[in-house]
Amino acid sequence: MDQIQAMRIFVRVVEAGTFTRAADSLNLPKATVTKHVQALEERLRVKLLNRTTRRVTVTPDGAAYYDRTVRLLTDLDDIEASMTNARANPRGRLRIDVGTSVAQLLIIPHLAEFHARYPDIQVDLGVSDRMVDLIGDNVDCVIRGGELSDQSLVARRIGNLEFITVASPDYLARKGTPTHPLEIEEKHVSVIYFSPQSGRHYPLEFQKGSESIDITGPYHLSVNESNAYVTSIVAGLGIGQISSWQAQRHFSSGTLVQLLPDWTQTLLPVYVVYPPNRHLSAKVRAFVDWAAELFQREAHLQRTA
């Protein structure tokens, strides 16, 4: 049995929290993962994990072994990268997770360019508006909007999103055009976005000078996926707020109209985020730099106040 492989499997089990999730992320049978961990414990003559039917937790000895093993494996990966010219020719499997709009409108349309530049990187692209657990889900990096809550992660700011208020021409023909945010609450209906993680409903936000107004309804529809949210507004189901970047193609086709341009929102920062123990990976560095370059090309992804 390869000792380094057993160490990598042990680390993955600790980070995933269960043997099943670890096995899935490693594309190995669960029995193989269990066998490697048991053999590691037998060789070390120490119990590394406490096992229950639903989850595994590390013992004090296991925690100490995990900390030193992670540092060792990171150093080994760095040595391999420097000795095999991986910085110039990064290779391997790269697990990325991005929001649905960014995937559909930006990342996927340009992935052929990424593969042409880095032909030896295999991309596993997760697409969801739900926040993932980078460590537990074994994801190398994510692209997400909003301020970061987990300060243990490494983040690079790659853009800013400006949000604007929009509606379809059909909706405006039926309901009229509001001239003030409060008219939306009094005479119109909104399409509301709610968090796929917490279920929280996000209001329509309006700022003008020192005045700030939040509109939470009335609404006939709320959705928790950004592409569906835009489609709902285009379908005439209400007034909503989307990024100016998303809106451009709909302005060009005439399917959406901007409302209340004098009222603004706080810009939403966009980050590419990765765990601290991945910072030396050549394949992660390649994607982070490419994503930053991709965002830089789009003026509506680099808005300023």
Side-chain angles (χ1 to χ4, degrees), residues 71-89:
R71 290 197 296 270
L72 173 62
L73 293 176
T74 299
D75 289 343
L76 285 174
D77 289 341
D78 186 38
I79 292 170
E80 268 193 16
S82 62
M83 296 301 292
T84 62
N85 199 29
R87 294 186 187 279
N89 300 289

Side-chain angles (χ1 to χ4, degrees), residues 83-295:
M83 296 301 292
T84 62
N85 199 29
R87 294 186 187 279
N89 300 289
R91 63 180 61 244
R93 181 185 179 202
L94 182 64
R95 298 193 62 182
I96 305 161
D97 196 272
V98 301
T100 55
S101 291
V102 170
Q104 178 180 329
L105 300 178
L106 192 67
I107 299 298
I108 292 174
H110 292 90
L111 264 183
E113 170 194 317
F114 180 80
H115 287 307
R117 190 181 301 182
Y118 304 108
D120 296 322
I121 295 180
Q122 176 189 10
V123 175
D124 290 356
L125 181 64
V127 180
S128 171
D129 286 348
R130 180 181 293 273
M131 294 298 293
V132 300
D133 177 355
L134 274 79
I135 304 300
D137 293 330
N138 196 29
V139 175
D140 292 301
C141 62
V142 302
I143 297 176
R144 285 293 186 271
E147 294 298 344
L148 301 177
S149 57
D150 189 344
Q151 299 302 314
S152 68
L153 301 174
V154 181
R156 176 175 172 181
R157 190 166 183 163
I158 59 175
N160 293 304
L161 292 178
E162 170 194 42
F163 280 78
I164 58 177
T165 307
V166 295
S168 71
D170 174 66
Y171 173 87
L172 297 175
R174 288 185 285 110
K175 303 287 287 187
T177 301
T179 59
H180 191 277
L182 291 178
E183 290 183 28
I184 299 175
E185 200 166 46
E186 296 166 356
K187 302 177 182 179
H188 293 266
V189 293
S190 306
V191 179
I192 299 296
Y193 183 88
F194 71 92
S195 167
Q197 195 81 18
S198 66
R200 174 197 170 194
H201 285 70
Y202 291 96
L204 305 187
E205 298 179 358
F206 299 90
Q207 295 178 3
K208 187 177 182 181
S210 60
E211 190 174 3
S212 179
I213 300 172
D214 288 353
I215 304 296
T216 56
Y219 71 89
H220 292 159
L221 174 69
S222 65
V223 297
N224 67 352
E225 193 274 326
S226 54
N227 288 326
Y229 181 75
V230 175
T231 300
S232 301
I233 302 168
V234 171
L237 296 174
I239 295 172
Q241 291 180 329
I242 64 176
S243 71
S244 61
W245 168 64
Q246 292 171 295
Q248 294 312 300
R249 62 191 181 113
H250 294 288
F251 291 164
S252 298
S253 64
T255 53
L256 286 178
V257 176
Q258 184 175 359
L259 307 176
L260 305 169
D262 293 337
W263 293 82
T264 63
Q265 276 196 37
T266 303
L267 295 176
L268 185 75
V270 180
Y271 297 91
V272 58
V273 186
Y274 47 99
N277 64 338
R278 311 288 170 91
H279 73 287
L280 294 175
S281 168
K283 61 187 179 181
V284 172
R285 183 184 296 108
F287 178 80
V288 169
D289 289 343
W290 177 77
E293 176 188 320
L294 201 58
F295 269 72

